[in-house]
Amino acid sequence: MEPAIVGLGIHPFGRHPNLSGRQMAVKAVHDALASAGIQWSDVQFAFGGSVDGDQPDTLVSDLGLTGLQFVNVSNGCATGGSALSLAITMIESGTYDLGIVIGFDKHPAGAFNAKPSDYGIGDWYGETGLMLTTQFFATKIQRYLHDHNMDKAILAKVAEKAFRNGALNENAWRRKPLSFDEIENAPMISDPLTQYMFCSPGEGAVALVVARGDKARQYTDRPVFMKSVSNVTRRFGSFEVFSPWLSPERGSVPTTDAAKRAFELAGVSPSEIQVAQIQDTESGAEIMHMAETGLCEHGEQAAMINAGETEITGRLPINTDGGCLANGEPIGASGLRQIYENALQLRGDAGARQVPNDPQVGFTHVYGAPGISACTVMSR
Amino acid sequence: MNGTPIDDTLFTWPDESPQLIGARCTNCGTVTFPQQSSCPKCAGTELSRHLLAREGVIWSWTIQGFRPKEPYIGPAEFTPYGVAYVDLGDVIVEGRLTEGDPSKLAIGMPVELEIVPFETEQAGTNWLTYAFSPTGPAPDQGGVA
């Protein structure tokens, strides 16, 4: 039986000037423990991720010095996905029965400013203004729209949906719906993407209690099972953030590799997915990742989105909690927010944004620098 | 033009016809920019210095619309600039564009390498960097630019 998520905790995303990252993390952990009906002293292992918050394993001084194994995880925007995949592997290996995954962050306002030397790139790349995630996403979608002959109006449609869903999510940062025109006519950040088409670095925390599948019902009457987790790095020929050069020989992308592996391991086909959370660092990313994950064909996205198929009430609801666009991106917590949302949806606990007709199978996807992706298939 | 390359491994200088300096894997032919000592495709460790073509076409582009945070060292007063991936045949290279007007840029547009001054707030510096400059319209653009 697959490992299960048996406890859920979240600290609202957004800006919280009077709270530290660790305070948000402790709140999320306490909520997750309470929802599983356990104490911190019951937890056998932890994986934690945070980039600009405190070092995760130091949380034990607030949570309790119980001697548990606690490993810090750092994998860019895929940090949450990576932490979860390690926790699932730990359960599957039989090493432990009960653990927790914690993700939190507190980023300063404005775009991320990574250091070239951390990525094996010369200082010139940052000094001359090329070391920006925003440029990568803009050039990738620019080429994608060109290759698939897609109208860029679809970018505003994706953001419009994100803010509409975010308005239904009490834990989201951006809770005000924005019109197509407001998004389309906002200041241009990097062609073809305007201000409201990008997510912002933010703050927040998520904690998830994971348990052996055959013991899951000891902790909750509604466990959600992790049918698969995958975690890959890029292969030659993909187009990644912070690339001074690309090969003219185009190859498979990490999102495609990770999704394919997750579907294969789960024995589930993309057409069986009833709710999906996919990395929407900007609205173009949602469009490209829809096809890269195999949830649709390349070039098919505009028709699907225009027909409402990715809405909460559609055939394939995507980013039902508002995604990164409405929640912002506290890196450590972001991937775990997707798991949290899918768990709510599969348990039928998503309230005003609940996907109708009792969804049974969900999918999550994160993508991060410098070219990694983690995916999951989840079921009731 | 007087000045010092912001990084002396990037392009031939001084040179009347400067070129970007890449590396070519002697095993599989993969070309990298800047130079690398091992090949990301075949993991080979024998790469030779390889000068890149001066002319290519825009593979994709965008405009940097806000002043980047550090480690960017450009002037405090910000002017948006173009950024492109340029297909030089055996490698696609990222660089700044001399053109920052989005209405004058398109995928497929021919460009050529230029060495340009890179202004900063630092007193006494005279940096040079590389950029790509459009030389004509994109094939499907019907004479714009």
Side-chain angles (χ1 to χ4, degrees):
Chain A
M1 200 172 210
E2 297 100 3
I5 305 289
V6 299
L8 303 172
I10 193 166
H11 185 283
F13 283 31
R15 286 280 171 213
H16 308 287
N18 300 318
L19 288 175
S20 65
R22 67 188 298 124
Q23 286 174 307
M24 293 184 252
V26 168
K27 188 262 182 201
V29 170
H30 285 157
D31 287 359
L33 297 174
S35 79
I38 60 172
Q39 305 292 318
W40 177 249
S41 55
D42 298 321
V43 178
Q44 298 167 332
F45 71 92
F47 286 97
S50 183
V51 175
D52 290 331
D54 296 345
Q55 190 168 301
D57 59 353
T58 68
L59 289 173
V60 293
S61 59
D62 291 297
L63 294 168
L65 301 171
T66 60
L68 86 170
Q69 173 176 343
F70 197 133
V71 176
N72 298 333
V73 180
S74 177
N75 257 162
C77 300
T79 293
S82 295
L84 180 77
S85 79
L86 291 168
I88 297 304
T89 306
M90 193 69 99
I91 302 266
E92 283 174 336
S93 73
T95 308
Y96 291 118
D97 295 344
L98 187 66
I100 195 161
V101 187
I102 308 166
F104 62 100
D105 247 311
K106 189 174 178 79
H107 303 297
F112 290 118
N113 57 332
K115 278 206 321 235
S117 55
D118 290 346
Y119 291 80
I121 304 172
D123 290 340
W124 64 274
Y125 190 70
E127 289 167 349
T128 60
L130 297 176
M131 188 88 186
L132 285 106
T133 55
T134 42
Q135 287 174 7
F136 161 71
F137 287 111
T139 49
K140 189 177 174 198
I141 188 63
Q142 187 91 280
R143 179 76 199 184
Y144 194 87
L145 294 174
H146 174 267
D147 283 350
H148 298 281
N149 198 22
M150 225 180 264
D151 187 335
K152 70 176 186 178
I154 201 65
L155 297 168
K157 295 280 282 191
V158 169
E160 195 185 359
K161 169 178 69 73
F163 297 120
R164 193 161 53 238
N165 292 354
L168 302 173
N169 177 3
E170 64 284 4
N171 293 312
W173 181 7
R174 316 275 188 207
R175 302 205 56 206
K176 184 175 153 238
L178 291 176
S179 71
F180 180 91
D181 288 343
E182 283 173 301
I183 295 163
E184 180 97 330
N185 299 329
M188 189 63 82
I189 298 292
S190 273
D191 272 67
L193 299 165
T194 70
Q195 181 183 346
Y196 295 127
M197 297 176 189
F198 277 105
C199 87
S200 304
E203 305 174 16
V206 174
L208 305 169
V209 179
V210 295
R212 267 175 62 148
D214 57 358
K215 297 192 173 176
R217 285 180 203 281
Q218 291 177 18
Y219 307 107
T220 175
D221 56 356
R222 286 176 302 161
V224 173
F225 296 94
M226 302 303 303
K227 292 188 76 68
S228 65
V229 292
S230 65
N231 194 347
V232 307
T233 57
R234 67 196 186 278
R235 289 191 288 160
F236 187 75
S238 66
F239 177 17
E240 307 300 341
V241 63
F242 307 146
S243 298
W245 67 281
L246 307 175
S247 171
E249 174 189 328
R250 310 278 68 228
S252 183
V253 299
T255 290
T256 300
D257 292 344
K260 194 159 176 272
R261 183 164 168 74
F263 285 123
E264 276 170 8
L265 286 171
V268 165
S269 86
S271 63
E272 293 175 77
I273 297 301
Q274 293 164 304
V275 57
Q277 317 299 330
I278 64 180
Q279 182 91 20
D280 59 333
T281 318
E282 40 77 36
S283 45
E286 178 166 319
I287 293 166
M288 295 183 285
H289 290 150
M290 281 170 67
E292 288 180 2
T293 54
L295 292 173
C296 73
E297 297 295 325
H298 289 284
E300 198 185 3
Q301 298 98 321
M304 284 177 70
I305 292 163
N306 285 326
E309 292 184 20
T310 60
E311 300 285 337
I312 287 168
T313 53
R315 173 177 68 85
L316 178 62
I318 290 178
N319 293 334
T320 47
D321 65 353
C324 292
L325 288 174
N327 286 279
E329 194 184 19
I331 284 181
S334 197
L336 300 183
R337 170 186 55 75
Q338 299 179 331
I339 306 290
Y340 179 96
E341 173 66 8
N342 264 10
L344 287 188
Q345 292 287 352
L346 297 174
R347 287 160 50 142
D349 286 344
R353 63 182 191 283
Q354 178 65 47
V355 169
N357 303 321
D358 207 15
Q360 305 283 317
V361 188
F363 174 80
T364 69
H365 156 264
V366 288
Y367 166 84
I372 58 176
S373 180
C375 293
T376 74
V377 175
M378 302 167 64
S379 75
R380 260 234 300 267
Chain B
M1 188 174 6
N2 291 322
T4 309
I6 191 146
D7 183 311
D8 60 13
T9 67
L10 297 178
F11 48 87
T12 57
W13 194 259
D15 191 336
E16 276 190 15
S17 183
Q19 285 175 278
L20 296 176
I21 307 168
R24 187 174 183 280
C25 176
T26 56
N27 179 49
C28 74
T30 292
V31 175
T32 78
F33 172 79
Q35 298 183 78
Q36 288 188 202
S37 54
S38 58
C39 174
K41 184 175 185 193
C42 74
T45 53
E46 286 186 18
L47 287 88
S48 57
R49 187 174 188 262
H50 177 76
L51 298 183
L52 307 186
R54 290 180 41 83
E55 294 180 358
V57 296
I58 292 179
W59 184 82
S60 191
W61 64 273
T62 188
I63 304 291
Q64 178 59 35
F66 61 90
R67 189 180 188 279
K69 296 180 191 169
E70 51 155 357
Y72 179 67
I73 57 169
E77 192 173 328
F78 181 72
T79 309
Y81 53 88
V83 173
Y85 280 93
V86 173
D87 191 340
L88 298 173
D90 48 15
V91 63
I92 299 172
V93 167
E94 185 185 16
R96 291 172 66 115
L97 292 166
T98 57
E99 179 59 68
D101 179 349
S103 70
K104 294 183 178 168
L105 293 168
I107 289 172
M109 182 173 271
V111 293
E112 72 177 357
L113 184 76
E114 265 193 50
I115 302 306
V116 296
F118 181 69
E119 285 179 40
T120 75
E121 295 287 302
Q122 300 166 353
T125 57
N126 199 6
W127 296 121
L128 300 175
T129 192
Y130 70 93
F132 294 98
S133 180
T135 55
D140 57 357
Q141 243 192 333
V144 187

